[in-house]
Structures are given as structure tokens and as C-alpha cells.
């Protein structure tokens, strides 16, 4: 089948990008529990611990289903996952709405947790469809593309919390039933839009080799039965060129990648070597060694990786460290998102002589919006920072990850020390920003370091345990709050003293994540230096990580 033209790929990618942003809008509804959770808890007479378990159940549903939906995204495609997200989201939020109204009776908090699990399943299904499709559609500026996609994951709660404030938190009591019904129809509509527009387009042939292939190009021998080295005659290498472009552009030959090695005398004249882990390189007069120590100004990225998946991915030490960082630090964000409503209520009711429930709900919505906006900005910007920093200044991606984790630790210090809503707002903004940084950069690291062939499964396995750290921190928060406030009266929690010990634990968890990120950064630095040494010495048989063109 003929490859789509460059113009066709452009429009298909654009349409798919819109579908991905629509899908992650559905995914972001998982972070809205604080906008309806307090009212639902009061109606069902839940304790703080029970509300926390119900809230974290959504995160369990989302994260524990990651490997399955990742596999489904790699094998079944995005349409099936988007269809499931539409049905699941509509069903879950409708059930929550009628439970609040009382039409379904007074169910136990365990049944409520079951509804929240379905919210999480729908969120993960839509998210995997969007992120996997985007990762497989972009090679150049992949970090920016993935960041734009996941940014809507963070923007969704910001917009929807404002919708709640403007249209459903008016009058003496907030219209929680109407808000939940609105969320059910929103999930149905956005997921159906994603099902119609998401398409895996692929990278396509490289533009720089569309017209001519320079001397020194070595093609995969499995694709060329006559000669490994293409001749100078354009007419004699037409079929091989098409096959080489297909291999290079579409990624159909795992373990192979095209790398230009420009000369210092003429940056426009470069040879291209296509190598595998067991392929010998033929020395060519045009094949030069790039000498820039940072590996960015010569147009080559030495931080790339193999195509790993399944057990080989799980056994990789760097994949394990990456999952550990995400497990520790993302759990902090989950814990904060699920408890910001309780924290705001405590600070508001304890500092106000005549508290107003609607005003308290608006304050909760405001903080949820700030966290969401910070998450959106973080997700949107970190991809461009990573791409530009790597390409123009040689900044290592693993070093950027260390800075991201440090920001998360700092956010917990500020939020834990907050004795008023103004200081807490700063903590909320930094927590959201750090959380966005983390989830904006992590998918890019997984795809660049471990390849795109098994990205969905790899990303699902990397995120699968986040719920446990979030559950642990959330349960500890609930235990501390319930122990200090047995009558559940937030007006007695002066300056946040009733929950402050929970932030001591979250800070400690963040410090462990920072340590893991530093260890990972040192390992990646050693890997880059060794990979560059082997590549420049042309000891191809020993290379595990094959460099690729930064501009591609």
C-alpha cells in the first residue's frame, strides 16, 4: 500500500491531534472529585477516610488498568478505547448523579467507590488512546506534541471547575446533581469525537532524504539482497531508496536508525549510516565523526534507546528507576488533588465567623482551578523546554527530571506550612505546575529511551503503581484528620494543624523521589558518554542505544 503524501500526513496528524485533545478532556474529569466530593460526602454521611477511599478508587481504576489499555492501544487502535471511554464516562457520572439525588437509594460508600473505579477506567481508556496515538505520529518535536496532548488533561479540571462555579455553585446550595449530569454528557460527547478523529499516521519518510541518498548509506541487508552499499547512480537505487525510506521513516525495522555524521568543513554534506546492533559499518570517505562534546550541536542525540517491551522493559534498571520516580512523586499530586477540598474547608471554616457553604464551594473550585491551570501550564511547557534544551543547549532530559522532582518537594513544603488560604494558593499552584511537569515529561522519556513500538504497554506499566502511593498518602491524611477531628467539624482546625502531619510524610516521599531521580540522571549520563564513545569508535557490535537525528 502506498504511503500517504506529506500533505495528507499533515492533515491526518492535525485531525488526530484535535481528537487527542478531545480525549484527554474526558480523562481530566478524574481530577474533579474535589468539586463534587464534599457535597456527595455530606449527603451520604461519609467520614474523611471513606471519602478518601472513594476518591482514590478512581485513581486505582485508572492506573491499575494502564497495562491493559496500553496493550489495547498498541494492538486494537484508538477507536475501540475511545468508544469504551464514552460509555464508561456517561454511565459512571450518571450513577453518581442519581445516587446524590436519592433515586438509587442510600448506597454504601463501597458502591460509590465502584462508580469511581468506572470513572478511572474511562479516563485511562481515553488517555491511552490519545497519548499512544500522538507518540506514534510525531518524531520531530515529540516532546512538544505529547505535552500539548496531555496539557488538556490538566486544563480540563480548570475549565470544568469554573463551569461548576459559574453555573452550578449559585444560590444557597450548589447544584451537584446538575453538575454530575453535565459531566456525564461531556464525557460521552468528547470521547465520541475522539473515536471519529484519532488515527495512527506514523512518521513518514524523512524529508532530507526524499530526493537523494548520499554516499555511504548502508541499507539493512534484509531489505537489499543485491548490495549493502547503494551506488552513486540514482537510477540504480530507486527500489532500495524507497525501501530505506520506509525503514527509516516508518520504523518497521526495530533496532535500526539513521544517523548523519556531518563534516566540520561542510555542514551541508553528510553521510548517513543505517546500523543495527549486530551490523558492521563500512568505512566511507564521507563518514566523519562528530566532535561536539554535548551531542546536540552536531545534530545527533546520544540519549536515545532501544525498542524494549514486556519483560525486557520491566527488567531494565533505568525503566525501574523511572517508574519509582513516578510512583513516589505522582502519588503526591494524587493525594493533594483528592484532599484539597478538605484542606480548603478546614482553613476557611476555622477563619470565618459566619461561613457560607456556597462560598466555601467556590473557594474549593478556585483552588482546584489553580491546581488544574498549573498542571496545564506545566504539561504544555515542559515538552518544548525539553526539546529545545536538548537540541540547542545539550541539556539532558534526565537532568530536567531532577529539577521537576525538586519543584514537587518544594510545593509540599509550602502547602504544608500554609496557615491561610493565600499561602495555600501558592502551594496549590506549585503542586499543579510540578504535577504537570512530571506528566508532561514522563511519556516523552519513555518513548525516547525505550521506543514507540510498545509505548502503550510500557507507559501503562510505568504508571500502574501510582495509585498505591496516592492511596497511602491519602489514607494517612484521612487518619490524621479523623484522629484530630473526630466530630468532623472543620471550624476547629485552626491554621491547618489538624492535617499538617500528613504533609511531613508527603515531603519525605518527595525527597525519596528526588534521590531516585538523581541516581537515574547519573546512570543516563554514564550511558550517554559510553554510547558516544562506542559510536565514534564505530564499535557497533557493543552499542545498545542507537543515536538518532535530533531534527527528525
Amino acid at each position: 500500500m502506498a504511503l500517504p503524501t506529506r500533505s495528507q500526513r499533515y492533515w491526518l496528524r492535525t485531525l488526530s491531534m484535535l481528537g487527542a485533545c478531545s480525549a484527554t478532556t474526558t480523562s481530566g474529569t478524574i481530577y474533579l472529585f474535589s468539586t463534587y466530593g464534599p457535597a456527595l460526602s455530606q449527603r451520604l454521611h461519609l467520614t474523611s477516610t471513606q471519602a478518601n477511599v472513594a476518591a482514590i478508587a478512581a485513581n486505582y481504576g485508572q492506573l491499575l488498568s494502564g497495562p491493559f489499555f496500553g496493550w489495547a492501544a498498541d494492538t486494537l487502535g484508538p477507536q475501540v478505547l475511545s468508544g469504551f471511554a464514552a460509555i464508561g464516562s456517561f454511565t459512571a457520572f450518571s450513577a453518581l448523579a442519581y445516587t446524590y439525588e436519592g433515586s438509587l437509594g442510600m448506597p454504601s460508600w463501597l458502591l460509590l467507590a465502584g462508580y469511581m473505579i468506572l470513572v478511572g477506567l474511562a479516563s485511562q481508556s481515553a488517555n491511552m488512546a490519545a497519548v499512544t496515538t500522538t507518540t506514534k505520529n510525531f518524531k520531530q518535536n515529540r516532546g512538544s506534541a505529547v505535552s500539548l496532548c496531555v496539557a488538556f488533561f490538566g486544563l480540563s479540571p480548570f475549565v470544568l471547575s469554573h463551569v461548576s462555579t459559574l453555573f452550578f455553585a449559585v444560590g444557597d446550595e450548589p447544584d451537584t446533581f446538575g453538575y454530575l449530569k453535565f459531566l456525564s454528557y461531556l464525557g460521552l460527547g468528547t470521547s465520541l469525537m475522539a473515536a471519529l478523529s484519532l488515527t495512527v499516521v506514523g512518521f513518514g519518510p524523512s524529508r532530507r532524504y526524499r530526493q537523494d541518498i548520499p554516499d555511504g548509506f548502508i541499507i539493512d541487508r534484509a531489505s537489499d539482497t543485491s548490495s549493502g552499499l547503494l551506488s552513486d547512480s540514482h537510477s540504480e537505487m530507486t527500489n532500495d531508496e524507497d525501501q530505506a525510506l520506509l525503514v527509516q521513516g516508518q520504523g518497521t525495522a526495530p533496532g535500526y536508525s539513521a544517523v548523519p555524521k556531518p563534516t566540520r568543513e561542510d555542514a551541508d554534506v553528510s553521510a548517513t549510516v543505517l546500523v543495527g546492533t549486530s551490523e558492521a559499518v563500512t568505512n566511507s570517505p564521507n563518514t566523519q565523526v562528530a566532535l561536539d562534546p554535548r551531542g546536540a550541536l552536531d545534530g545527533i542525540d546520544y540519549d536515545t534507546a532501544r525498542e524494549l517491551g514486556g519483560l525486557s522493559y520491566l527488567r531494565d534498571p533505568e525503566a525501574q528507576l523511572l517508574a519509582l520516580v513516578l510512583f513516589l512523586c505522582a502519588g503526591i499530586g494524587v493525594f493533594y488533588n483528592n484532599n484539597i477540598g478538605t484542606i480548603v474547608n478546614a482553613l476557611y471554616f476555622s477563619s470565618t465567623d459566619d461561613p457560607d457553604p456556597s462560598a466555601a464551594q467556590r473557594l474549593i473550585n478556585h483552588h482546584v482551578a489553580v491546581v488544574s491551570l498549573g498542571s496545564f501550564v506545566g504539561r504544555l511547557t515542559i515538552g518544548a523546554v525539553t526539546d529545545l534544551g536538548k537540541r540547542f543547549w545539550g541539556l539532558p532530559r534526565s537532568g530536567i527530571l531532577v529539577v521537576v522532582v525538586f519543584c514537587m518537594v518544594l510545593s509540599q513544603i509550602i502547602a504544608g506550612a500554609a496557615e491561610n488560604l493565600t499561602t495555600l494558593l501558592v502551594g496549590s499552584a506549585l503542586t499543579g505546575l510540578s504535577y504537570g511537569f512530571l506528566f508532561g515529561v514522563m511519556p516523552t522519556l519513555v518513548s525516547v529511551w525505550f521506543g514507540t513500538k510498545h509505548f502503550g504497554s510500557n507507559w501503562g506499566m510505568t504508571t500502574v503503581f501510582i495509585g498505591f502511593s496516592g492511596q497511602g498518602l491519602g489514607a494517612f491524611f484521612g487518619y490524621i484528620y479523623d484522629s484530630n477531628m473526630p466530630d468532623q467539624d472543620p471550624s476547629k482546625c485552626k491554621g491547618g494543624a489538624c492535617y499538617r502531619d500528613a504533609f511531613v510524610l508527603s515531603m519525605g516521599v518527595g525527597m525519596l523521589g528526588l534521590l531516585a531521580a538523581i541516581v537515574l540522571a547519573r546512570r543516563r549520563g554514564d550511558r550517554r558518554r559510553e554510547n558516544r564513545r562506542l559510536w565514534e569508535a564505530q564499535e557497533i557490535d557493543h552499542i545498545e542505544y542507537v543515536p538518532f537525528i535530533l531534527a527528525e
Side-chain angles (χ1 to χ4, degrees):
M1 183 176 66
L3 292 174
T5 65
R6 182 172 296 274
S7 176
Q8 290 171 332
R9 288 196 305 274
Y10 172 81
W11 288 110
L12 285 173
R13 285 197 190 100
T14 301
L15 182 62
S16 185
M17 195 72 220
L18 293 175
C21 294
S22 176
T24 49
T25 299
T26 300
S27 302
T29 57
I30 194 175
Y31 295 134
L32 291 172
F33 184 80
S34 291
T35 63
Y36 60 83
L40 197 60
S41 298
Q42 290 178 6
R43 179 66 60 93
L44 300 179
H45 307 293
L46 303 180
T47 67
S48 177
T49 300
Q50 290 172 337
N52 258 289
V53 172
I56 206 69
N59 297 105
Y60 273 133
Q62 181 195 41
L63 300 170
L64 294 181
S65 63
F68 171 76
F69 284 121
W71 167 84
D74 288 334
T75 57
L76 302 179
Q79 288 77 17
V80 175
L81 272 68
S82 297
F84 175 84
I87 297 172
S89 183
F90 178 78
T91 303
F93 281 111
S94 294
L96 289 171
Y98 288 109
T99 296
Y100 177 84
E101 185 194 36
S103 299
L104 300 180
M106 188 65 68
S108 69
W109 64 273
L110 291 175
L111 185 58
L112 176 64
Y115 297 152
M116 295 304 297
I117 288 175
L118 186 55
V119 170
L121 292 174
S123 173
Q124 183 67 285
S125 180
N127 184 56
M128 277 296 178
V131 176
T132 302
T133 302
T134 303
T135 299
K136 295 184 178 182
N137 280 348
F138 291 89
K139 185 177 181 184
Q140 182 177 5
N141 299 323
R142 181 184 297 161
S144 301
V146 173
S147 291
L148 176 62
C149 171
V150 299
F152 278 81
F153 197 115
L155 181 65
S156 174
F158 170 76
V159 174
L160 294 177
S161 62
H162 273 76
V163 170
S164 173
T165 300
L166 293 175
F167 299 103
F168 299 101
V170 294
D172 295 332
E173 293 290 335
D175 183 12
T176 304
F177 172 77
Y179 180 56
L180 289 169
K181 286 295 294 180
F182 165 74
L183 293 179
S184 70
Y185 288 112
L186 178 72
L188 178 66
T190 54
S191 295
L192 289 178
M193 287 176 57
L196 294 174
S197 55
L198 284 174
T199 305
V200 177
V201 183
F203 303 146
S206 169
R207 174 184 296 177
R208 69 179 66 210
Y209 304 121
R210 177 172 290 276
Q211 301 300 328
D212 296 294
I213 294 182
D215 294 339
F217 190 92
I218 301 177
I219 193 169
D220 176 16
R221 288 174 181 168
S223 305
D224 179 22
T225 58
S226 58
S227 174
L229 182 64
L230 298 181
S231 66
D232 294 337
S233 171
H234 185 273
S235 61
E236 293 178 3
M237 66 180 184
T238 302
N239 293 334
D240 286 340
E241 177 180 354
D242 293 339
Q243 184 68 14
L245 288 174
L246 180 62
V247 171
Q248 176 191 346
Q250 297 297 100
T252 56
Y256 289 82
S257 180
V259 181
K261 295 194 173 182
T263 64
R264 283 194 174 274
E265 291 78 10
D266 187 356
D268 296 328
V269 179
S270 64
T272 305
V273 182
L274 186 64
V275 299
T277 55
S278 61
E279 184 80 36
V281 172
T282 301
N283 292 326
S284 167
N286 291 333
T287 304
Q288 303 292 329
V289 175
L291 299 176
D292 184 78
R294 288 181 293 176
L297 301 183
D298 60 3
I300 301 177
D301 185 1
Y302 295 95
D303 202 25
T304 186
R306 306 152 288 179
E307 291 281 3
L308 291 184
L311 290 178
S312 61
Y313 177 77
L314 291 174
R315 292 169 180 165
D316 188 88
E318 292 168 7
Q320 294 168 0
L321 281 170
L322 197 63
L324 179 61
V325 172
L326 191 62
F327 167 76
L328 295 170
C329 298
I332 295 174
V334 172
F335 142 75
Y336 193 84
N337 273 305
N338 289 337
N339 290 281
I340 186 61
T342 302
I343 295 171
V344 170
N345 269 339
L347 292 179
Y348 172 72
F349 281 94
S350 65
S351 60
T352 306
D353 295 330
D354 186 21
D356 177 15
S358 291
Q361 184 62 53
R362 287 192 292 272
L363 285 170
I364 292 172
N365 292 345
H366 182 57
H367 276 262
V368 171
V370 168
V371 172
S372 176
L373 182 61
S375 178
F376 169 73
V377 173
R379 293 168 192 255
L380 186 64
T381 57
I382 192 64
V385 169
T386 303
D387 285 343
L388 295 176
K390 186 67 179 179
R391 182 172 299 172
F392 295 109
W393 299 291
L395 298 178
R397 299 180 182 92
S398 53
I400 293 175
L401 179 63
V402 172
V403 176
V404 167
V405 176
F406 175 77
C407 290
M408 180 64 78
V409 174
L410 183 61
S411 73
Q412 294 306 286
I413 295 174
I414 295 174
E419 297 184 353
N420 54 69
L421 290 172
T422 302
T423 306
L424 182 67
L425 195 64
V426 178
S428 294
L430 188 55
T431 300
L433 189 67
S434 304
Y435 195 67
F437 283 157
L438 190 67
F439 274 94
V441 74
M442 278 290 186
T444 302
L445 296 182
V446 172
S447 65
V448 172
W449 290 353
F450 306 104
T452 60
K453 182 179 181 180
H454 307 286
F455 171 79
S457 301
N458 293 345
W459 180 235
M461 289 186 289
T462 302
T463 60
V464 69
F465 295 114
I466 297 174
F468 292 102
S469 58
Q471 172 67 67
L473 289 171
F476 184 71
F477 178 94
Y479 169 76
I480 294 296
Y481 186 88
D482 291 340
S483 297
N484 293 325
M485 308 291 294
D487 57 356
Q488 302 294 309
D489 184 1
S491 63
K492 298 179 180 178
C493 183
K494 300 297 183 181
C498 63
Y499 59 76
R500 182 158 292 121
D501 288 346
F503 280 94
V504 176
L505 180 61
S506 68
M507 282 184 272
V509 170
M511 292 299 294
L512 289 177
L514 183 61
L515 178 62
I518 293 172
V519 173
L520 176 60
R522 289 180 62 88
R523 286 185 62 93
R524 291 301 303 183
D526 293 340
R527 173 70 69 180
R528 284 191 303 273
R529 286 186 290 272
E530 177 64 9
N531 191 42
R532 183 183 181 90
R533 184 191 69 78
L534 292 172
W535 182 257
E536 293 180 346
Q538 298 189 3
E539 298 178 21
I540 304 303
D541 289 340
H542 300 93
I543 289 182
E544 296 182 59
Y545 290 67
V546 181
F548 75 103
I549 309 167
L550 276 171
E552 283 300 298

